[in-house]
Amino acid sequence: MSLVAGVDSSTQSTKVLLVESETGEIVDSGRASHPDGTECPPEAWWEALQEAGKGLLDRAEAVAVAGQQHGMVALDADDRVVRPALLWNDTRSAPQAERLTAEHGGPGAWAADTGLVLAASFTATKLAWLAENEQGNAAKTVSVMLPHDWLTMKLRDVTAAEATTDRSDASGTGYWSPATGDYVTDRLVQAFGRELALPRVAAPNEIVGRTPWGAAVAPGTGDNAGAALGLGLGPGDVVVSLGTSGTVFGVSDVPAADASGLVAGFADATGRYLPLVCTLNAARVLDTFRTLLGVEHAEFDALAIAAEPGAGGLTLLPYLDGERTPNRPNATGVLSGLTTGATRADLARAAVEGMLSAQADGLAALAAQGLQAKRVLLIGGAAASEAVRRIAPGVFGVDVEVPPTAEYVALGAAKQAAWALSGSQNPPQWNTGDTARLTGTAAANTSFRSAVEQYATLRDETSSWASHQ
Ligand SMILES: Nc1ncnc2c1ncn2[C@@H]1O[C@H](COP(=O)(O)OP(=O)(O)O)[C@@H](O)[C@H]1O
Ligand SMILES: O=C(CO)[C@@H](O)[C@H](O)COP(=O)(O)O
């Protein structure tokens, strides 16, 4: 029996799974937290990986790292980190996103060249921010890579000159084209002012090197592509993942280039494509309201379930940390319809309905790009919430399936490691178990309509607010 390890270095924590490579059976697991904030010294991820992987990594014949996308890891000539990495949810580069879009061809041209319309999340805008705001650090920078690239380089104990990335994470930079499979150097130079050394884009099932203890290292991938691989998505499958980010995505045979910017045209981890909608606000919306109400997860869920659909007229626009889809980097949350009759249960319900309504917008945006969900798979930390499970089918207007609780990003990374080890043309087919089907009945849809309509009205009314530009 050979064992492989999959790592998910996500926003809030590192998770490691040790998996049997033939069957996908999870043998052991570990976890360690990351510091809070929208910038992070990469060394903190490395420490978390070592802590979470203790007693696991050294038992694996192959390992792969999936990571939070887009983060800017800038390195100097000695491969030292120049500054803490700016993460995907750091919105300080919003002015640079706007400027680069306006000065270099507009949204349609960026979408055609890179699959993306620039927003503050993407690496190119962070490089532009660095060049404009930290000239000393920018002058020292000779190479740039993404969180999973840097961790993969550390696992192999090699230099930046030998570093690798994969198609999926390269597709989140704003200077790589999913359509051609090449870096778009002009876009990098427009963002940073000069060229930088970039990691080589490895094939999906390549062995890119070895750890010092001899395990094969696969290229790794972006966390959402990792989840898609872990779940083994088929046609018509759309995932709603509720972690720090809310992501809505499916696998496609053709690249997306959405000039509206709602759908990011990413690549996946198998050689195909991963059209994806990402919100900055998901699980932490519930965390915030749970803390305000002074309750733990189970009590919060009970409150939200006890309230009627529509939360007694309370509506939450959940853009607490600014928003990326729609592109409102400076927005804040808006609670509307507050009266003296409002209850704690209404407040909990409004938080769940608002957070899920933002994901329903993502389902509509994907459908507009031709990816109509035949079934929705709910994963991520907040998919454990009973309230989310009960309310999601009504808000989404479709049946929702919940796969057995598991770390699907780390499982996808493990599957990639097993694939690289096997030398096969296709990834292994692992059975992830039966999904639980949550039904959105017609009756539920009728009673949920007011919540969905209230949300759409609030979203549209606030779009002209100066504070939401
Ligand atoms: N039972 C639950 N109900 C609601 N949210 C939960 C529950 N369990 C965990 N979470 C939330 O899930 C989030 C972590 O999810 P995860 O997918 O690991 O995030 P990330 O990938 O962004 O690090 C945290 O915000 C946590 O509070
Ligand atoms: O920016 C995106 C996708 O474009 C995010 O999905 C990040 O990849 C972070 O993921 P989580 O840590 O929230 O899972």
Side-chain angles (χ1 to χ4, degrees):
M1 179 177 85
S2 62
L3 297 175
V4 291
V7 178
D8 173 11
S9 176
S10 65
T11 312
Q12 297 189 41
S13 63
T14 297
K15 304 124 190 174
V16 179
L17 294 182
L18 190 66
V19 176
E20 208 282 304
S21 69
E22 300 276 305
T23 59
E25 189 193 330
I26 296 166
V27 173
D28 212 340
S29 63
R31 182 186 196 105
S33 293
H34 295 170
D36 242 353
T38 63
E39 58 172 50
C40 183
E43 289 81 6
W45 305 325
W46 181 233
E47 280 165 27
L49 197 160
Q50 285 167 307
E51 188 186 331
K54 206 167 186 177
L56 306 182
L57 293 176
D58 57 358
R59 289 154 66 194
E61 282 185 41
V63 56
V65 181
Q68 54 174 315
Q69 295 185 249
H70 318 306
M72 178 190 70
V73 181
L75 302 179
D76 69 13
D78 296 319
D79 294 346
R80 282 182 307 230
V81 172
V82 161
R83 70 172 327 286
L86 292 185
L87 306 189
W88 64 278
N89 53 353
D90 187 292
T91 55
R92 78 186 74 179
S93 60
Q96 286 72 29
E98 208 170 306
R99 177 179 64 71
L100 287 172
T101 307
E103 287 178 2
H104 300 290
W110 281 90
D113 280 4
T114 69
L116 307 177
V117 174
L118 291 185
S121 289
F122 302 129
T123 327
T125 72
K126 299 178 190 302
L127 284 169
W129 180 90
L130 184 69
E132 269 179 58
N133 292 280
E134 293 185 351
Q135 275 120 17
N137 283 336
K140 280 192 272 182
T141 301
V142 302
S143 65
V144 66
M145 56 184 71
L146 298 162
H148 111 257
D149 310 339
W150 186 83
L151 286 166
T152 304
M153 178 183 82
K154 293 286 283 183
L155 268 178
R156 292 169 56 207
D157 196 19
V158 295
T159 64
E162 296 162 90
T164 53
T165 189
D166 85 309
R167 292 170 68 253
S168 79
D169 235 4
S171 69
T173 58
Y175 43 82
W176 188 80
S177 165
T180 66
D182 294 319
Y183 281 114
V184 191
T185 309
D186 287 356
R187 292 304 193 188
L188 173 64
V189 172
Q190 284 160 7
F192 192 62
R194 64 180 163 86
E195 287 191 41
L196 287 167
L198 300 169
R200 177 178 70 80
V201 183
N205 58 346
E206 191 179 322
I207 293 179
V208 298
R210 300 243 157 217
T211 63
W213 61 94
V217 180
T221 188
D223 55 0
N224 294 291
L229 182 59
L231 286 160
L233 291 192
D237 287 345
V238 171
V239 173
V240 174
S241 172
L242 302 172
T244 313
S245 62
T247 55
V248 184
F249 57 90
V251 171
S252 160
D253 289 329
V254 287
D258 178 11
S260 79
L262 295 176
V263 176
F266 295 150
D268 84 339
T270 68
R272 292 180 292 168
Y273 302 93
L274 194 79
L276 179 146
V277 179
C278 177
T279 64
L280 293 189
N281 300 284
R284 277 185 170 151
V285 175
L286 308 189
D287 290 339
T288 301
F289 278 76
R290 193 167 54 73
T291 306
L292 288 173
L293 290 164
V295 292
E296 292 303 321
H297 290 301
E299 201 182 335
F300 178 85
D301 285 349
L303 283 169
I305 290 165
E308 292 296 319
L314 266 189
T315 307
L316 177 72
L317 190 68
Y319 302 164
L320 307 193
D321 287 327
E323 193 41 270
R324 156 171 162 191
T325 318
N327 189 11
R328 300 191 198 177
N330 304 313
T332 52
V334 180
L335 190 60
S336 132
L338 197 55
T339 67
T340 50
T343 64
R344 299 170 82 238
D346 290 334
L347 207 55
R349 178 116 198 165
V352 177
E353 289 180 349
M355 186 273 285
L356 289 173
S357 295
Q359 312 313 315
D361 285 347
L363 287 169
L366 268 196
Q369 287 295 304
L371 222 162
Q372 184 74 49
K374 294 213 174 68
R375 65 168 185 165
V376 167
L377 294 162
L378 200 60
I379 62 164
S385 157
E386 187 56 33
V388 166
R389 290 176 180 212
R390 293 223 197 160
I391 296 170
V395 172
F396 295 167
V398 292
D399 291 351
V400 173
E401 296 189 21
V402 186
T405 302
E407 295 296 347
Y408 285 99
V409 175
L411 192 69
K415 194 185 266 189
Q416 189 195 56
W419 186 15
L421 200 59
S422 72
S424 314
Q425 201 168 352
N426 296 310
Q429 304 275 315
W430 289 345
N431 183 357
T432 50
D434 293 338
T435 58
R437 197 177 176 90
L438 315 169
T439 304
T441 62
N445 287 343
T446 310
S447 58
F448 273 91
R449 202 166 299 139
S450 67
V452 173
E453 282 169 5
Q454 279 168 210
Y455 175 84
T457 304
L458 184 60
R459 179 199 60 211
D460 295 345
E461 278 176 1
T462 51
S463 67
S464 58
W465 290 8
S467 58
H468 277 233
Q469 299 312 302

